[in-house]
Amino acid sequence: MSTVLLRSESIGVDLSRNTDLSLDKLSPNQQLLPLTALVNDQDHLEIGGCDVVELVQQYGSPLYILDEVSLRLACQQYRDAFAKHYQGQSQVLYASKAWSCLAICAIAGSEGLGIDVVSAGEILTAIRAGVSPSLIYFHGNNKSVAELGYALETGCTIVVDNWHELKNLDQLAKERSASASLIAPRVMLRLTPGIECHTHEYIQTGHIDSKFGFDPNEIEAVFAFVSQSSLNCIGIHAHIGSQIFELQPHQDIGDVMVRWFKLASEKYGLPFAELNIGGGLGIRYVESDDPPSIEEWVKTVCAGVIEAFASAGLALPKLLCEPGRSLVGATCVTAYTIGGSKTVPDIRTYITVDGGMSDNPRPITYQSKYRAVVANQMSAPLAQTVTIAGKHCESGDILIKDIQLPKTEAGDTLVVFGTGAYNYSMASNYNRLTKPAAIVVKSGDSNLIIKRETTEDLLRQDCLPERLRH
Ligand code: LLP
């Protein structure tokens, strides 16, 4: 693999890494850039063997560029770490809410991962990507009856979130078994574990005051209901939050869950076999972010579960986890074309790009921080502190505040790192902007994975009733 030469002093980002280190020793979630990123002879940023400036010429901008090597490596690191640190069975699921599309689900599937889905759309995407329904787990706190019916038809495992859903599902399962001799649907129960973690309030989910999962105080009633139902309840699930850097909350989860495992089998005759501890491992968006590696995280989770189950005298469950961000987040960058600029004397200089909050809503939603470089002049000295503004009619549409960049001009290519997770999947058409294209790059080849929307696409669902025409 080529030498990595992204000089910290010239781009203000410490991207240097030990070039003796082979790529597979690096945990993708700890890197600011995809693993194959380097500066080529043209002084351009290159990813997956492709010159990013040329990619923008070919595909236009904004453009999501996904590095296949980084994504596959992240999948492999999760899988291999479970094989190394857990003696029981395990299954890693890709939380496709981070970015659900055919190509990413297909890559995750081909690496042996299952898929966590939260809607009929995500189920369909996973299935069309070739993932077996036996490896698809369906989440969500308000699944419609139609979605539940669809999930039953396809044979996914359903992670039941609340009473309303539990009763609907039991009813559906009864109706189905009356009309055909079907095996009982596989379900898991989502419980709120009461574990707090330090992340943005909107992305904490495991504390007691959460809209997700059964309240632990109701657990006995839930177990009693399930034990009499027509559902095959195979285990329990908890997810405590996202973009988490601490290991302790995930270490503690085994201890909390084992008590419920024991209660279910000893008092309600529910022979649980699977434990899903959710996702949540963070990634490095800026230099000061310091997440644990994928292997450290898996090792900690496994140690917690092994110890908890051993001291409870229970056999090890099949252990599942469902990372999203740490699989796909750092594997993708977004390339924009710089437009005009505006200097407010003694205050700041704004540089505008051809996208913004519609392709990356995270800064305006969570005040998330990002790093960026000018891809067509990687070694140029830093010359200005600027604010990167999106093109939307909204003052808060700022992608990055106060970043140091070389001197830029209209037409330059700005590349923002770490945009693989919760960017495309949360993209909108605000101001009727079309959603960007996405490509996958590997060994000098690039392929479209999502076409750029056209303005005609935007009108496709619009209807103009006859009486409104003039
Ligand atoms: N499992 C469940 C049940 C979840 O709710 C989530 C994320 C995950 C797994 C995957 O978590 P991850 O490994 O990606 O942290 N839009 C927010 C993130 C919302 C996370 C929602 N749930 C953001 O952009 O930061």
Side-chain angles (χ1 to χ4, degrees):
M1 195 50 67
S2 322
T3 312
V4 177
L5 251 191
L6 297 175
R7 275 171 285 151
S8 51
E9 70 277 16
S10 61
I11 51 180
V13 180
D14 184 5
L15 300 166
S16 52
R17 64 173 176 249
N18 181 350
T19 49
D20 297 337
L21 212 58
S22 75
L23 288 192
D24 58 6
K25 299 279 180 299
L26 300 169
S27 191
N29 72 311
Q30 294 182 314
Q31 317 302 318
L32 284 172
L33 271 172
L35 296 174
T36 62
L38 52 87
V39 179
N40 66 18
D41 297 343
Q42 316 289 307
D43 198 30
H44 291 178
L45 178 64
E46 186 173 302
I47 298 176
C50 298
D51 183 313
V52 169
V53 180
E54 286 172 15
L55 291 174
V56 167
Q57 281 158 6
Q58 184 179 350
Y59 295 98
S61 68
L63 181 66
Y64 297 100
I65 303 169
L66 179 85
D67 179 35
E68 187 173 336
V69 166
S70 301
L71 179 54
R72 287 193 183 276
L73 191 66
C75 294
Q76 288 155 16
Q77 288 181 357
Y78 265 105
R79 212 187 50 207
D80 294 351
F82 274 101
K84 183 167 163 195
H85 298 289
Y86 196 67
Q87 293 75 45
Q89 287 186 303
S90 60
Q91 179 65 52
V92 181
L93 311 174
Y94 165 54
S96 67
K97 68 204 74 177
W99 189 351
S100 171
C101 66
L102 292 175
I104 295 179
C105 288
I107 291 174
S110 72
E111 293 296 342
L113 273 58
I115 309 284
D116 149 4
V117 296
V118 289
S119 64
E122 287 186 359
I123 297 177
L124 180 65
T125 307
I127 289 176
R128 291 274 172 86
V131 178
S132 158
S134 64
L135 291 177
I136 299 178
Y137 287 68
F138 183 27
H139 286 275
N141 67 321
N142 191 17
K143 304 174 186 80
S144 68
V145 173
E147 282 176 316
L148 290 172
Y150 176 51
L152 289 180
E153 237 168 71
T154 57
C156 314
T157 301
I158 300 174
V159 184
V160 182
D161 189 274
N162 53 59
W163 278 110
H164 175 67
E165 184 184 327
L166 186 56
K167 290 178 180 168
N168 276 341
L169 195 55
D170 186 41
Q171 185 58 35
L172 277 178
K174 285 200 173 102
E175 286 163 16
R176 284 167 60 88
S177 61
S179 61
S181 55
L182 289 162
I183 46 166
R186 271 166 51 99
V187 303
M188 297 184 84
L189 300 170
R190 178 168 182 169
L191 307 174
T192 313
I195 294 176
E196 308 237 352
C197 52
H198 298 111
T199 187
H200 193 289
E201 193 190 342
Y202 294 176
I203 51 182
Q204 281 182 8
T205 49
H207 54 303
I208 297 292
D209 180 10
S210 164
K211 71 170 184 168
F212 297 105
F214 288 99
D215 185 320
N217 295 317
E218 299 180 312
I219 212 77
E220 295 225 23
V222 176
F223 287 168
F225 181 93
V226 169
S227 64
Q228 302 301 313
S229 73
S230 40
L231 306 170
N232 172 21
C233 188
I234 56 164
I236 49 179
H237 166 279
H239 170 77
I240 56 181
S242 198
Q243 183 60 358
I244 300 172
F245 292 173
E246 308 151 282
L247 286 168
Q248 195 62 42
H250 282 105
Q251 168 125 35
D252 294 345
I253 215 167
D255 216 31
V256 175
M257 304 291 271
V258 75
R259 278 179 260 147
W260 294 327
F261 244 75
K262 210 171 161 77
L263 180 71
S265 73
E266 289 179 358
K267 193 160 168 197
Y268 296 95
L270 291 167
F272 286 172
E274 297 195 11
L275 173 64
N276 184 335
I277 47 84
L281 172 61
I283 69 167
R284 189 168 185 225
Y285 287 105
V286 294
E287 295 86 326
S288 55
D289 288 340
D290 188 20
S293 68
I294 290 173
E295 183 174 356
E296 280 174 274
W297 186 85
V298 172
K299 189 176 169 193
T300 306
V301 163
C302 294
V305 169
I306 291 169
E307 199 190 312
F309 278 72
S311 37
L314 293 181
L316 284 182
K318 177 169 178 178
L319 184 55
L320 290 89
C321 71
E322 48 196 25
R325 191 190 315 265
S326 53
L327 281 171
V328 79
T331 69
C332 178
V333 301
T334 305
Y336 300 93
T337 300
I338 290 179
S341 67
K342 172 185 175 180
T343 298
V344 186
D346 303 323
I347 300 188
R348 71 177 70 250
T349 295
Y350 291 96
I351 287 186
T352 46
V353 292
D354 53 354
M357 60 184 282
S358 58
D359 60 77
N360 183 358
R362 298 193 71 258
I364 199 167
T365 313
Y366 315 114
Q367 299 75 50
S368 309
K369 302 221 171 353
Y370 283 87
R371 300 298 273 130
V373 292
V374 181
N376 54 306
Q377 40 166 335
M378 292 296 289
S379 307
L382 299 175
Q384 51 178 349
T385 301
V386 295
T387 288
I388 309 295
K391 65 177 281 168
H392 294 274
C393 296
E394 180 119 358
S395 301
D397 177 27
I398 299 293
L399 285 178
I400 307 178
K401 241 185 177 169
D402 298 334
I403 182 173
Q404 286 198 293
L405 289 183
K407 194 168 168 330
T408 52
E409 50 190 56
D412 282 345
T413 305
L414 186 91
V415 168
V416 176
F417 312 152
T419 58
Y422 307 109
N423 272 225
Y424 197 96
S425 63
M426 301 208 304
S428 74
N429 292 115
Y430 182 44
N431 297 147
R432 288 237 137 166
L433 259 66
T434 53
K435 286 190 193 143
I439 58 170
V440 64
V441 290
K442 189 182 177 204
S443 312
D445 281 338
S446 63
N447 303 94
L448 263 183
I449 57 171
I450 306 181
K451 288 188 217 158
R452 185 175 302 283
E453 268 182 347
T454 65
T455 45
E456 285 301 326
D457 290 332
L458 296 176
L459 293 181
R460 194 147 293 146
Q461 303 298 96
D462 278 25
C463 304
L464 186 57
E466 198 52 51
R467 66 186 176 76
L468 298 183
R469 290 177 197 271
H470 59 88

